[in-house]
Amino acid sequence: MKILVRWLLLAAALLLVAYLYPGVAITSFGSAMIAAFVIGVFNTLLRPILVLLTLPVTLLTLGLFLFVINALMFWAAAQVLDGFAVNGFVAALIGSLIYSLIGMVIDVAMERLFSRPSAA
């Protein structure tokens, strides 16, 4: 149940990103759901490999290169899907930053919503 709610909220977050920033476009909620799923898969499978391969650059930039990796994941999802478009790398960077911030808020809210009270 928690995964389904999180997925729906992240899809809504993508619609909010498209509303807030004109460089990102999503045609429907269905497209947003598919895009949220694909972004999640890319972040699960590809992101760790990219982080490992770019570790020297990431260390040299004190971690700022991770923003570039996030933008690449966001942009790659837009390239693979119909109904989800990003207008260039800068739009992917800004869109991924907004999406990440909303995602953090969702994660905190989900943790508080689904946390179990302690028995003690």
Side-chain angles (χ1 to χ4, degrees):
M1 181 69 169
K2 183 178 177 181
I3 293 172
L4 182 62
V5 171
R6 186 174 188 274
W7 180 32
L8 292 171
L9 289 174
L10 287 174
L14 272 177
L15 288 174
L16 182 61
V17 170
Y19 177 77
L20 293 174
Y21 185 66
V24 177
I26 298 184
T27 58
S28 67
F29 186 71
S31 296
M33 287 181 61
I34 294 169
F37 178 76
V38 170
I39 290 170
V41 168
F42 282 0
N43 281 333
T44 302
L45 300 176
L46 296 177
R47 189 174 188 275
I49 295 168
L50 287 175
V51 168
L52 186 63
L53 291 174
T54 62
L55 190 60
V57 176
T58 303
L59 291 174
L60 193 63
T61 62
L62 302 175
L64 292 176
F65 194 74
L66 292 175
F67 290 119
V68 173
I69 293 174
N70 286 343
L72 288 173
M73 296 296 99
F74 200 77
W75 177 79
Q79 295 301 310
V80 171
L81 299 171
D82 290 332
F84 177 42
V86 176
N87 298 330
F89 181 76
V90 173
L93 182 63
I94 294 170
S96 69
L97 286 172
I98 297 170
Y99 183 67
S100 295
L101 289 173
I102 296 170
M104 286 190 311
V105 171
I106 289 170
D107 287 342
V108 168
M110 294 284 294
E111 195 62 38
R112 289 186 181 178
L113 183 66
F114 286 101
S115 66
R116 296 181 182 171
S118 62

